[in-house]
C-alpha cells in the first residue's frame, strides 16, 4: 500500500503536476492522521472496556461482602437487645427493688462481640479505584460509619467491660469455674455456649445481690450508655449498608 501511494506521488512529480501533488500529499497525511485517531479510539475503547470489567468485578465483590456484613450486623442487634433486657432486669432488682423469679442468661453481662466485618476502612482506599462517583462517595461514608461504630465499642465500651466489670465479677467470686472447665463446646466465634446443660457460668443469685449495690449500678449505668451509643451506630450502619447495596445493584446494570 505504501509503495502504491509512493508511485502515485512520483508520477505526479514527473508529470509536473505540483499542485495536485501537494493536494494529494495533504490528503494522504489526513488519511494517516484519521487512521491513527481511529486506532487510538479503538485502543481507548478497549482500555475502557477492560477498566469497566475490573470495576464491575470490584463492585460485585463489595456487594457480596456487604450482604455478609448485613448478617453480622443483625447478630449485633440481637445481642444488644438481649443485653439491654438483662440490664433492665438488673436495674429493676437493684434500684426499684423489684422481685424477679428469674433473670436473663447472666453471662450476657460480660458479653463481647466478635468483629469480622469484610467492609472496613481498607475499602475506603479501594474506593479510589472506582470511577462511579455515587458509589465511591457512598462507600467512603459507609466505611467511616463502621469506623465510628467500632471506635465506640472497642475504644469506650470494651475497656469498661474488660477493666472494670470483669474484675468486679471475679472479686465477688461470681464465676462458676467448674461449669466452665467441664463445658465441652466453647465457641468464641459468636460466644454461644451450646452445652450448658442447665449450668450457669455466672452465679445468678450472686449477680442479683451485686445488682443491689451502688457500685454495680453506677458501673451498669456507664456500660448501658455505651451499649446504647453503640446500638445507635449499628442502626446507622445497617441503613447505609442497605442503601449502598441497593445503589450498587442498580448501577451494576449499566456495566
Amino acid at each position: 500500500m505504501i509503495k502504491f501511494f509512493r508511485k502515485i506521488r512520483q508520477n505526479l512529480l514527473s508529470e509536473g503536476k505540483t499542485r495536485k501533488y501537494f493536494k494529494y500529499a495533504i490528503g494522504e497525511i489526513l488519511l494517516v492522521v484519521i487512521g491513527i485517531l481511529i486506532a487510538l479510539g479503538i485502543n481507548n475503547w478497549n482500555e475502557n472496556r477492560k477498566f469497566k470489567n475490573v470495576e464491575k468485578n470490584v463492585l460485585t465483590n463489595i456487594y457480596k461482602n456487604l450482604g455478609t456484613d448485613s448478617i453480622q450486623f443483625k447478630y449485633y442487634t440481637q445481642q444488644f437487645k438481649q443485653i439491654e433486657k438483662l440490664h433492665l432486669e438488673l436495674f429493676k432488682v437493684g434500684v426499684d427493688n423489684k422481685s424477679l423469679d428469674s433473670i436473663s442468661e447472666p453471662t450476657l453481662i460480660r458479653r463481647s462481640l466478635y468483629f469480622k466485618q469484610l467492609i472496613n476502612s481498607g475499602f475506603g482506599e479501594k474506593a479510589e479505584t472506582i470511577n462511579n462517583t455515587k458509589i465511591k462517595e457512598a462507600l467512603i461514608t459507609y466505611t467511616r460509619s463502621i469506623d465510628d461504630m467500632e471506635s465506640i465499642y472497642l475504644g469506650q465500651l470494651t475497656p469498661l467491660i474488660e477493666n472494670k466489670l470483669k474484675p468486679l465479677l471475679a472479686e465477688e467470686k461470681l464465676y462458676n469455674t467448674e461449669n466452665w472447665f467441664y463445658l465441652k463446646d466453647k465457641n468464641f466465634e459468636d460466644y454461644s455456649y451450646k452445652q450448658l446443660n442447665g449450668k450457669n457460668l455466672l452465679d445468678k443469685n450472686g449477680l442479683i445481690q451485686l445488682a443491689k449495690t451502688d457500685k454495680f449500678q453506677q458501673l451498669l449505668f456507664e456500660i448501658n450508655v455505651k451499649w446504647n451509643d453503640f446500638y445507635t451506630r449499628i442502626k446507622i450502619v445497617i441503613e447505609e449498608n442497605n442503601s449502598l447495596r441497593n445503589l450498587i445493584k442498580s448501577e451494576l446494570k449499566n456495566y
Side-chain angles (χ1 to χ4, degrees):
M1 183 64 72
I2 294 175
K3 289 182 179 180
F4 173 74
F5 288 130
R6 185 183 299 164
K7 187 175 181 180
I8 293 176
R9 290 198 304 269
Q10 289 174 348
N11 290 337
L12 290 172
L13 285 173
S14 63
E15 294 173 3
K17 299 178 180 179
T18 306
R19 182 176 293 180
K20 287 186 176 181
Y21 170 80
F22 281 117
K23 287 182 178 179
Y24 177 80
I26 292 171
E28 189 176 327
I29 292 171
L30 289 174
L31 185 63
V32 171
V33 171
I34 292 172
I36 293 173
L37 291 176
I38 291 174
L40 288 173
I42 293 174
N43 183 64
N44 288 337
W45 181 82
N46 286 330
E47 289 300 316
N48 288 334
R49 184 178 64 176
K50 289 178 182 178
F51 182 82
K52 278 281 189 180
N53 288 334
V54 171
E55 188 175 16
K56 181 180 180 181
N57 290 334
V58 170
L59 294 179
T60 300
N61 288 333
I62 290 177
Y63 180 81
K64 292 178 181 177
N65 289 338
L66 285 168
T68 302
D69 281 352
S70 178
I71 295 173
Q72 186 72 5
F73 297 143
K74 288 179 181 178
Y75 163 72
Y76 294 164
T77 300
Q78 292 169 355
Q79 292 297 298
F80 166 79
K81 290 180 178 179
Q82 292 179 23
I83 292 168
E84 176 75 0
K85 181 174 180 289
L86 175 63
H87 283 186
L88 183 59
E89 291 170 349
L90 293 175
F91 168 78
K92 289 179 178 179
V93 167
V95 176
D96 290 347
N97 292 318
K98 293 290 181 66
S99 177
L100 299 178
D101 295 332
S102 64
I103 60 173
S104 302
E105 171 56 50
T107 54
L108 289 172
I109 195 67
R110 65 188 302 281
R111 176 61 52 89
S112 298
L113 296 180
Y114 181 74
F115 278 90
K116 55 179 180 181
Q117 280 80 249
L118 297 177
I119 303 291
N120 51 33
S121 57
F123 276 82
E125 298 177 3
K126 184 169 286 189
E128 297 303 320
T129 66
I130 298 174
N131 194 45
N132 189 304
T133 303
K134 290 190 292 185
I135 294 178
K136 182 188 295 186
E137 292 176 352
L139 182 58
I140 292 174
T141 299
Y142 176 68
T143 55
R144 285 174 180 168
S145 295
I146 287 183
D147 288 341
D148 289 342
M149 179 188 72
E150 290 186 344
S151 67
I152 292 296
Y153 182 80
L154 298 175
Q156 299 182 36
L157 178 57
T158 298
L160 285 174
I161 295 174
E162 296 295 329
N163 302 330
K164 291 187 176 182
L165 177 63
K166 289 183 179 180
L168 177 61
L169 297 176
E171 180 185 330
E172 297 295 326
K173 299 180 180 179
L174 296 186
Y175 292 122
N176 295 321
T177 55
E178 283 189 6
N179 292 347
W180 170 256
F181 286 104
Y182 286 126
L183 189 63
K184 294 180 180 179
D185 188 359
K186 302 181 180 76
N187 186 352
F188 274 87
E189 182 172 345
D190 59 4
Y191 283 81
S192 60
Y193 308 123
K194 299 176 181 177
Q195 296 183 17
L196 289 173
N197 296 323
K199 298 179 180 178
N200 295 315
L201 299 180
L202 217 154
D203 185 348
K204 275 190 178 184
N205 293 329
L207 183 60
I208 289 174
Q209 293 304 313
L210 181 62
K212 295 178 180 179
T213 66
D214 291 338
K215 182 178 182 179
F216 180 84
Q217 286 297 329
Q218 290 296 314
L219 181 55
L220 180 66
F221 169 80
E222 285 189 78
I223 292 174
N224 188 262
V225 166
K226 295 305 176 184
W227 266 116
N228 277 274
D229 192 1
F230 172 67
Y231 179 59
T232 300
R233 310 304 171 101
I234 291 178
K235 289 190 291 185
I236 293 173
V237 167
I238 290 175
E239 183 177 339
E240 291 180 356
N241 179 288
N242 291 333
S243 297
L244 185 52
R245 276 191 293 159
N246 289 334
L247 176 60
I248 292 176
K249 184 178 180 180
S250 175
E251 293 294 313
L252 278 174
K253 297 176 182 178
N254 300 322
Y255 285 81

